[in-house]
Amino acid sequence: MNNKTPLILESLRATYYSHLTSDIIRDEGKPGKVAGKETRRGLRQGAIWAQITQNKWDEFLACWEKTPEDILVWSDLHIGHENIIRYTKRPYISLADMDEKLLTAAKQNILPHQWILFVGDIAIWKDHDYIASWLKECPGRKALILGNHDVHGPERPRRVEQWQELGFEAVSDCLVIPQAHGIPTLWATHYPLPTEKIPENLLNLHGHTHQLILSGPVVSACVELIGYQPISLKK
């Protein structure tokens, strides 16, 4: 890892959490924050888990530097979430149909030695065993940037060891992916950053917004915008 990366990561965290505490008006017309207190607390837990899994993040970034074709990205699968089909107009007839086809897409596109970076909201944590079964069949080396749904739910993982048991080698609240292969430095966050908070010559890789296309130096990994299948990060 570049010696400057930890300093850049702290800059990202400061920017990210400043944004998450920003005031907004919600859909129902009530004032609030971009992310609620419980969500922010859960995401900050990811900063601790990032330190615990640092050696795996180092392996992930080394792979990005040496064999970038072995880094894939995917976000907001919402495994186990039937209502998401209606909310985001997904092309599935049922929850079983969605989860089965997303798993098929994983098996068709991810090789066992490749890294798959989930940029948050892997699932709705109401049935741990169901999600664990889906993840067990999903190939690849798994890394996770926590999303709001990953820190909520009665059966969500509450310790880094529980994420590791599910196959996630590396877990974090956010991630700096250094410039390489003609691609600028990426700040990976689940919630997208506003344009004015993104440093010059940098891209924000994000999830959370589903079918919504944002303007500015941002790129979404949401399934709705990438054909419901994992794709090479270089793309």
Side-chain angles (χ1 to χ4, degrees):
M1 181 184 293
N2 187 302
N3 290 334
K4 294 181 180 179
T5 300
L7 296 177
I8 299 173
L9 180 57
E10 289 310 308
S11 177
L12 165 56
R13 283 201 173 108
T15 302
Y16 190 32
Y17 287 98
S18 172
H19 170 57
L20 295 180
T21 57
S22 298
D23 295 321
I24 60 170
I25 300 297
R26 301 194 175 277
D27 292 340
E28 60 272 22
K30 296 180 180 179
K33 303 294 183 182
V34 170
K37 185 180 296 185
E38 183 179 351
T39 297
R40 299 196 308 271
R41 184 184 303 114
L43 294 180
R44 284 195 179 278
Q45 181 68 49
I48 298 172
W49 295 342
Q51 292 180 338
I52 297 172
T53 59
Q54 184 62 61
N55 62 325
K56 296 300 182 180
W57 282 118
D58 289 344
E59 290 181 24
F60 174 92
L61 294 175
C63 181
W64 169 243
E65 180 181 353
K66 297 175 183 177
T67 56
E69 64 274 10
D70 288 330
I71 303 286
L72 294 95
V73 64
W74 219 7
S75 185
D76 292 80
L77 277 69
H78 282 239
I79 300 303
H81 188 189
E82 186 169 19
N83 286 339
I84 199 67
I85 300 172
R86 175 170 53 87
Y87 292 160
T88 66
K89 298 180 173 60
R90 293 188 178 186
Y92 306 112
I93 61 174
S94 67
L95 175 62
D97 181 49
M98 178 181 77
D99 291 351
E100 178 183 355
K101 287 181 177 175
L102 289 174
L103 183 58
T104 297
K107 292 178 177 179
Q108 290 176 342
N109 290 279
I110 308 170
L111 298 174
H113 71 280
Q114 292 180 317
W115 282 95
I116 173 68
L117 176 65
F118 294 94
V119 193
D121 287 3
I122 181 69
I124 299 298
W125 293 93
K126 294 181 179 180
D127 187 337
H128 184 277
D129 290 344
Y130 175 80
I131 298 165
S133 176
W134 191 98
L135 288 168
K136 184 177 180 179
E137 290 194 56
C138 179
R141 302 183 65 181
K142 300 175 184 66
L144 175 66
I145 303 298
L146 291 166
N148 51 300
H149 286 291
D150 301 311
V151 298
H152 288 274
E155 297 198 24
R156 71 187 186 279
R158 297 172 186 270
R159 302 191 310 275
V160 70
E161 294 84 1
Q162 292 176 319
W163 284 111
Q164 291 169 327
E165 289 169 1
L166 290 168
F168 289 95
E169 297 184 49
V171 183
S172 186
D173 55 336
C174 55
L175 178 68
V176 175
I177 303 177
Q179 177 181 355
H181 318 294
I183 298 170
T185 297
L186 300 172
W187 275 8
T189 59
H190 178 66
Y191 288 85
L193 296 168
T195 297
E196 66 273 14
K197 293 193 176 184
I198 302 172
E200 190 176 356
N201 300 320
L202 184 149
L203 287 176
N204 177 210
L205 174 69
H206 71 88
H208 192 63
T209 52
H210 293 282
Q211 72 272 42
L212 182 63
I213 300 174
L214 304 179
S215 60
V218 297
V219 57
S220 172
C222 290
V223 296
E224 292 88 355
L225 299 181
I226 58 174
Y228 297 93
Q229 59 185 3
I231 63 170
S232 167
L233 179 57
K234 283 185 69 176
K235 293 184 179 180

